[in-house]
Amino acid sequence: MKYPQFLIRHERLKRNWSQEGLCKDICTVSYLSKIEQGKAEPSAEILSLLFERLGVEWQSTGIYQELIENAWELLLSGHTRRFQKLCASPIWNKYLNSIYGLDALLLKTVSKDGAKPLPEAIEVCMDHRQLSIQRALQERFEEAIKLNPCSFIYLTAGNYRYWNGENTRAIELLQLAIQQAASEGRALNIMYSHYYIGSCYSNLLYFDAMNSHYKIARSLALDLGEYTILNSIDYNIASTRIELGQYTEALRYFEGCKEENLMNLHKLSICYEKTGQKAKAQAVLNRAFEIMKEKPDETWEKICRIVEIRLNNDNYLDCEEYGRVLVNCFKEMRAKMPVGFCIFHMPWMLEYLEHKRKYKQAYELLLAFPSYRQKAAFKGEL
């Protein structure tokens, strides 16, 4: 079924109209029924009359094809900001009521943060390219890859696995994304793939492998003018140093950070804590709390409070508030945040559970985070 036929039925049912009421003096009821079932392809004239009666300003010409294809290319080649800007332009709504309406609707959906899949009923109208994006939005990535094994789909699938802590599978998918992007000539996808592979190795604490991929990503970012990724690379390297116990090296980065955000301030406070500079650590946390007065964030307030309690209580493991805040915060991170936040806080969770002799809970936590077990084994903690 083509999108115009689907849209006619959708708009008619939305208005609770009968087929007879819609098609009177335009076509027969039986012909409209065939149109709505995708068994008949109406002429441009009948389409125009049906949409006119529905009050839909239908664009029957193909003048939007070049713009739609440009949007597809921006999406699939990794030009995210340009893609989002195009889909957010006022003229984009005109594309929604055209023969390219399904492309326009799907692309506009993808361009939004927290994009959700389109209703399943519309899938009967989708071609392979459209359906692959729909499957990706549904997190059915293996199906998406079979439908359209392009670098963007491999990259999206690898990124999803990375955020969920499935680092080994993520690396496999991202390596395939690099190979495919090279054959497609999509340099940005190569850059992002190396970046996320580096981030996977960061999660696994494989410092040399992380640096190797970050070096390639950094070089490509400089060549392509994608400077925003450079800060993320430096942040991840410094955060990895914290997890490896290299606090002095990490401190050099976080002390030099020009951007004063909660993530940087939190890591800086830990560096000061671990190097015995408690007064500086508290001053940094105070600045974080000031930021949160202007823009409250309950989870980040707990994250910073955990550090503050440790700073001001040598016996923090026996502190009732510490245990309550730590456990509640960890639950919130599991529910709301990328898995890396949980992994970063696992040592303190396990330390607390072991101190309270809650060995079963500690064991269950280790089972729930296999990527942390890999890290711990690498560091010789298991």
Side-chain angles (χ1 to χ4, degrees):
M1 179 186 290
K2 294 186 178 179
Y3 182 64
Q5 290 124 300
F6 176 88
L7 188 60
I8 286 171
R9 183 174 187 274
H10 173 78
E11 293 293 327
R12 178 179 67 80
L13 293 176
K14 187 168 72 173
R15 291 162 176 75
N16 199 26
W17 288 5
S18 67
Q19 289 183 328
E20 292 88 343
L22 173 58
C23 70
K24 186 178 179 182
D25 299 327
I26 297 176
C27 65
T28 65
V29 174
S30 62
Y31 188 61
L32 176 59
S33 179
K34 288 180 180 178
I35 291 173
E36 291 188 349
Q37 294 176 60
K39 295 178 179 179
E41 189 169 339
S43 65
E45 181 183 2
I46 289 178
L47 265 183
S48 180
L49 289 170
L50 290 171
F51 280 119
E52 183 180 356
R53 182 160 292 173
L54 287 163
V56 174
E57 189 178 348
W58 182 251
Q59 309 292 328
S60 59
T61 64
I63 60 173
Y64 304 122
Q65 182 178 8
E66 184 177 348
L67 290 167
I68 291 292
E69 287 303 319
N70 182 43
W72 271 109
E73 181 56 30
L74 290 174
L75 171 66
L76 298 179
S77 58
H79 292 280
T80 305
R81 290 186 295 276
R82 288 167 58 190
F83 168 71
Q84 291 174 331
K85 184 178 179 180
L86 178 57
C87 292
S89 62
I91 197 175
W92 194 262
N93 290 333
K94 286 189 175 182
Y95 311 156
L96 296 173
N97 295 330
S98 75
I99 57 175
Y100 303 107
L102 182 52
D103 284 308
L105 180 62
L106 184 61
L107 291 169
K108 190 174 183 68
T109 298
V110 173
S111 71
K112 297 177 181 178
D113 293 334
K116 302 294 183 183
L118 296 179
E120 290 185 13
I122 207 171
E123 292 179 8
V124 296
C125 308
M126 292 182 175
D127 59 28
H128 281 197
R129 181 172 65 175
Q130 295 162 345
L131 192 56
S132 70
I133 299 298
Q134 172 81 344
R135 292 290 179 261
L137 290 172
Q138 294 167 335
E139 299 176 1
R140 296 161 60 178
F141 291 106
E142 297 306 319
E143 295 175 56
I145 290 169
K146 288 180 181 178
L147 287 162
N148 187 16
C150 66
S151 60
F152 173 81
I153 296 294
Y154 279 119
L155 173 56
T156 304
N159 187 17
Y160 174 81
R161 299 298 178 193
Y162 156 68
W163 283 109
N164 283 278
E166 302 171 52
N167 296 294
T168 302
R169 178 57 178 155
I171 290 169
E172 293 173 357
L173 290 164
L174 293 165
Q175 292 284 13
L176 291 170
I178 292 169
Q179 295 173 24
Q180 191 62 34
S183 67
E184 296 166 357
R186 288 172 169 157
L188 276 174
N189 288 349
I190 297 175
M191 180 196 74
Y192 283 119
S193 296
H194 278 291
Y195 168 75
Y196 283 115
I197 292 176
S199 298
C200 288
Y201 282 123
S202 168
N203 282 346
L204 296 169
L205 297 185
Y206 295 165
F207 198 86
D208 290 342
M210 174 195 72
N211 262 341
S212 176
H213 286 278
Y214 276 161
K215 183 178 179 181
I216 297 170
R218 188 191 300 276
S219 177
L220 287 169
L222 290 170
D223 287 344
L224 296 168
E226 294 289 323
Y227 304 117
T228 55
I229 201 173
L230 300 177
N231 288 334
S232 296
I233 290 172
D234 290 337
Y235 172 87
N236 288 345
I237 291 173
S239 296
T240 304
R241 288 191 181 281
I242 290 177
E243 294 189 77
L244 287 168
Q246 300 171 5
Y247 304 113
T248 302
E249 294 87 343
L251 182 59
R252 294 194 192 102
Y253 168 76
F254 287 111
E255 279 189 323
C257 277
K258 295 180 181 179
E259 186 177 1
E260 195 176 55
N261 59 41
L262 294 177
M263 292 176 67
N264 287 338
L265 291 172
H266 172 246
K267 297 296 192 300
L268 178 57
S269 70
I270 290 175
C271 289
Y272 281 138
E273 175 195 8
K274 292 295 187 178
T275 54
Q277 303 178 70
K278 290 188 176 183
K280 287 186 176 180
Q282 184 62 62
V284 170
L285 290 174
N286 291 342
R287 178 58 191 143
F289 290 132
E290 285 296 319
I291 291 174
M292 283 183 277
K293 284 182 181 178
E294 300 172 9
K295 191 175 181 181
D297 189 311
E298 291 184 5
T299 303
W300 270 104
E301 187 173 351
K302 291 185 180 76
I303 289 172
C304 292
R305 179 61 183 151
I306 290 167
V307 182
E308 185 175 51
I309 296 172
R310 291 201 302 266
L311 287 175
N312 295 293
N313 192 334
D314 290 337
N315 298 316
Y316 61 87
L317 290 172
D318 292 316
C319 175
E320 183 178 339
E321 183 190 5
Y322 180 77
R324 184 178 67 254
V325 175
L326 177 64
V327 171
N328 289 339
C329 183
F330 197 82
K331 287 180 180 177
E332 288 182 20
M333 286 189 287
R334 290 185 75 171
K336 301 177 184 178
M337 304 175 84
V339 70
F341 284 86
C342 294
I343 299 298
F344 186 85
H345 284 83
M346 277 284 283
W348 289 289
M349 273 297 297
L350 293 173
E351 178 191 44
Y352 172 75
L353 292 173
E354 183 180 3
H355 182 75
K356 294 297 183 180
R357 303 183 182 225
K358 297 182 179 181
Y359 303 119
K360 182 180 178 182
Q361 291 183 33
Y363 174 71
E364 290 172 347
L365 206 57
L366 284 169
L367 290 180
F369 292 94
S371 56
Y372 179 78
R373 297 203 305 273
Q374 289 177 295
K375 276 189 172 184
F378 175 80
K379 293 171 68 176
E381 295 175 353
L382 286 179

